[in-house]
Amino acid sequence: MDAVTSEEYASQTELLKEFTNVPSIDNAWVFKTNSEDISTAMFSISQPNLLANSKRKYIMYSHITRADANSLDFQWSPFPIEMTGVSVIVPSPSGSKLLVVRNGEKGSPTKLEIVDQSHVDKEIHVKQSIHGPLYTEEWFHGISWNQEETLIAYIAEAPPQPKPAFVASGYRKEGSSEKDCNSWEGQGDWEEDWGETYSKKGRPSLFVLNISSGQVLAAEGIARSLSVGQVVWAPPSSSGCQKYLVFVGWLEHNGFRNTARKLGIKYCSNRPCALYAIRCPFEGPDADNTPISIGLVASSGTNGCNILFLCTSDGKSYSAVMGCNLTASISSAFFPRFSRDGKLLVFLSSKHAVDSGAHNATDSLYKINWPSDWKMDKQLDVTEVVPIVMCPEDDCFPGIYCSYMLSNPWFSDGCTMILTSAWRSTEVIISIDVLSGKVTRITPEDSYYSWSALAIGGDNVLAVSSSPIDPPHIRYGRQMTPEGQAHRWTWDEVSSQWTTASNKVKSLLSHHSVSILKIPVDNPSDDLSDGGKLPFEAIFVSSKDSSHSPTVVILHGGPHSLSVSSYSKSSSFLASLGFNLLIVNYRGTLGFGEEALQSLPGKVGSQDVQDCLTALDYVIKEELIDASRVAVVGISHGGFLTTHLIGQAPDRFVVAAARNPVCNLALMIGITDIPDWCYTVACGTEAKQYASESPSPDCLRLFYQKSPIAHISKVKAPLLMLLGGADLRVPVSNGLQYQFVGFVYTPRPS
């Protein structure tokens, strides 16, 4: 590397740090105060530490003061507070207490701290023999305070099973010292995990902490084959004598033909799951520590309840209903939330993903009327509130596509909730009347910005908005009802020096513009559904002189995922270097209706590739870019498309980069954590018919034909590969094989 190149790299590295230093807002909470006009907001923010390959976590506070009906004032704390070594924080419902979780590492205890408004009130050390680290991310995360703020339910890894050990005299017996074992240690029974992100985590289990005593109990009556997550407290019964917990449960029998295998769950909402209810372990017949032994376990046969027949040490016997499936009638249920008055339990369902095999699909919203005197042997009816949308009208509601839900999503009327959901190429905030099923978009309709809800304060919404060229801004939304007019939402920008980008970043991005392009489908086939024939979209970020600037085509993974018009640090960095960005949401993307999404399985490597080329042709025809200076980049399925494009259209791209790309489905099928995905994308509606742990020669041939490696002999563009050595989803061998085969076809100098 010469001195000029070295200097250029150093300059770009410094610029990259400017972009990555922009903080991300991870969570927010709004609490009432003694004054009606003042509330307090707490923010959890993070900032990448590139050199340490980690994140710095902070909390910030702001007092929200209403000066009059039309203005608000945010008074920020002077500095954010760094939360060193903290895994997650969760405030109590009143905001008077804070749970601070510090997950133990390398066998050390997990620390649970209860902080009041002046000091650490309790510090509980939970040994590994009770449970492992708490789950703080993705599907299994769930930490819930009860209304009285005396108990906390949470999800943590079950304690490890004892490992066999051997000494010179043979198997080491109980009570012998570790020092006696100096030759060989076994690892015990092999236990599956839940794949990517959850390596060495396979048994998420439910525990409850009694804050006063510091005692932690595991929930009883949950089958070992059930992984649990997303726990919430049910409202207290009218008698006040029972406390129930509601949680999501995933059975491990989701392998091919219902075999006992845990398939990867990250980004996969097609794993069957249900809502379960169980009695709080501090409320059961053994809550007073009366010794008990289980005499028999049986199923009641109705409502999915388990009945345990127990006997105490004094010989008395009784039966207790320990747990039941609340949603046995549907194949998917998650994100349970009780209404403020406790009369409704609402939840989302991805039953269309489960039924079709697509790893993500359009969600639907359901509700259960929750009786105040509910008992666990009482069956409850499940009612659909918002069904899936098959083929949306132009720019109308396309269905629910929700990756998270606020812990408290309710307005004060108790029947209106809010969700953040994909709406074509943008992310928006919608309100849903769960009594009527009416869906309303409450964020601006004439905007290419994307929005995400952070918290609700009364009937106001704390949110964040951004665009590909505008870093995140905090917004405060409130309803206005001008005289004689229908109510509308007004969004005030909240200024904060802690969440804004540097002046340099703002200046570099100020010369760019954003548009969302509607791309007509090129020669749609007759066998396509109406939704599959609708235009797809591309987000186009153009530089000041776009027609003479190089262009990067950016492709999302999935394929049932989405690129929204929000701020991305890596993409905005590319834009700052002078690139145009063409971010393609090909058919199969979330946010465009179920028919468009389901048009892709069975047609990967052809329909999605053609959509990318159609989008590229569109901007060339409109003279928006220079056709001779186009690069393409993608991750996972986006890498699959990247390597397909440089093989199928070798003269269209001058360079490419692929991160963890799927290059050969036939190789991936035997080693990925989601082998069912290979069948679904390649075989479409016939996937379940062919799915097997040992694919047939015909299936392997089909996998190869639909893979980028089938076109590798035609590749001309230089390709940068970025491979994850520990990737369980697209193992490193997929990219390495493509690279080694590519060497065979690389022209050698004469």
Side-chain angles (χ1 to χ4, degrees), residues 300-369:
S300 68
T302 60
N303 201 28
C305 292
N306 293 322
I307 298 179
L308 302 188
F309 294 90
L310 309 169
C311 61
T312 61
S313 56
D314 59 6
K316 294 180 180 179
S317 63
Y318 55 89
S319 65
V321 179
M322 298 297 289
C324 65
N325 185 338
L326 301 173
T327 57
S329 60
I330 54 177
S331 57
S332 171
F334 55 93
F335 292 161
R337 297 292 186 271
F338 282 95
S339 59
R340 291 189 176 189
D341 59 10
K343 295 180 179 180
L344 291 173
L345 171 61
V346 300
F347 60 91
L348 289 176
S349 173
S350 282
K351 61 186 180 67
H352 278 263
V354 175
D355 297 343
S356 68
H359 70 94
N360 278 320
T362 314
D363 297 327
S364 44
L365 184 72
Y366 286 82
K367 69 179 178 183
I368 295 173
N369 291 315

Side-chain angles (χ1 to χ4, degrees), residues 82-237:
E82 185 169 5
M83 305 293 284
T84 305
V86 173
S87 302
V88 69
I89 58 171
V90 181
S92 65
S94 68
S96 62
K97 299 176 182 177
L98 181 69
L99 170 67
V100 178
V101 177
R102 301 178 190 273
N103 275 331
E105 296 181 0
K106 298 179 180 179
S108 60
T110 292
K111 296 179 183 178
L112 306 177
E113 299 172 2
I114 307 299
V115 183
D116 69 13
Q117 295 178 337
S118 60
H119 64 285
V120 176
D121 186 51
K122 293 273 185 178
E123 183 175 309
I124 300 104
H125 292 218
V126 186
K127 296 179 180 179
Q128 289 275 338
S129 58
I130 298 176
H131 66 64
L134 271 68
Y135 283 78
T136 59
E137 71 291 304
E138 295 290 336
W139 283 110
F140 299 116
H141 169 60
I143 299 176
S144 181
W145 293 73
N146 69 340
Q147 281 188 354
E148 299 80 10
E149 302 185 357
T150 57
L151 301 171
I152 301 175
Y154 58 84
I155 310 300
E157 180 70 5
Q161 296 297 303
K163 297 178 180 181
F166 298 86
V167 294
S169 58
Y171 183 73
R172 192 186 78 192
K173 298 179 180 179
E174 289 186 17
S176 58
S177 168
E178 289 284 345
K179 295 179 181 178
D180 298 332
C181 179
N182 56 9
S183 55
W184 187 83
E185 288 189 20
Q187 293 299 307
D189 293 338
W190 176 70
E191 290 199 30
E192 278 190 298
D193 55 39
W194 282 100
E196 183 65 27
T197 297
Y198 297 107
S199 176
K200 300 180 181 178
K201 289 183 179 180
R203 293 178 55 214
S205 305
L206 176 55
F207 298 86
V208 179
L209 165 68
N210 184 313
I211 296 174
S212 176
S213 66
Q215 185 180 15
V216 174
L217 292 180
E220 305 237 350
I222 301 176
R224 181 182 172 87
S225 60
L226 194 70
S227 292
V228 307
Q230 302 177 19
V231 61
V232 295
W233 289 92
S237 62

Side-chain angles (χ1 to χ4, degrees), residues 42 52 67 73 271 320 332 338 367 401 442 481 500 546 572 574 607 701 745:
M42 183 174 76
D73 180 36
R271 306 298 175 223
S332 171
F338 282 95
K367 69 179 178 183
Y401 303 90
I442 67 173
T481 309
T500 56
S546 65
S572 60
L574 281 177
Q607 178 178 296
R701 191 176 300 110
Y745 294 103

Side-chain angles (χ1 to χ4, degrees), residues 736-750:
L736 291 177
Q737 183 197 47
Y738 187 90
Q739 179 185 9
F740 294 145
V741 173
F743 288 155
V744 176
Y745 294 103
T746 302
R748 298 291 190 271
S750 56

Side-chain angles (χ1 to χ4, degrees), residues 15-16 92 168 180 340 358 377 550 554 557 599 604 611 657 686 735 738:
L15 181 59
L16 178 61
S92 65
D180 298 332
R340 291 189 176 189
D377 57 352
I554 298 177
S599 71
V604 295
D611 283 354
E686 299 178 344
Y738 187 90

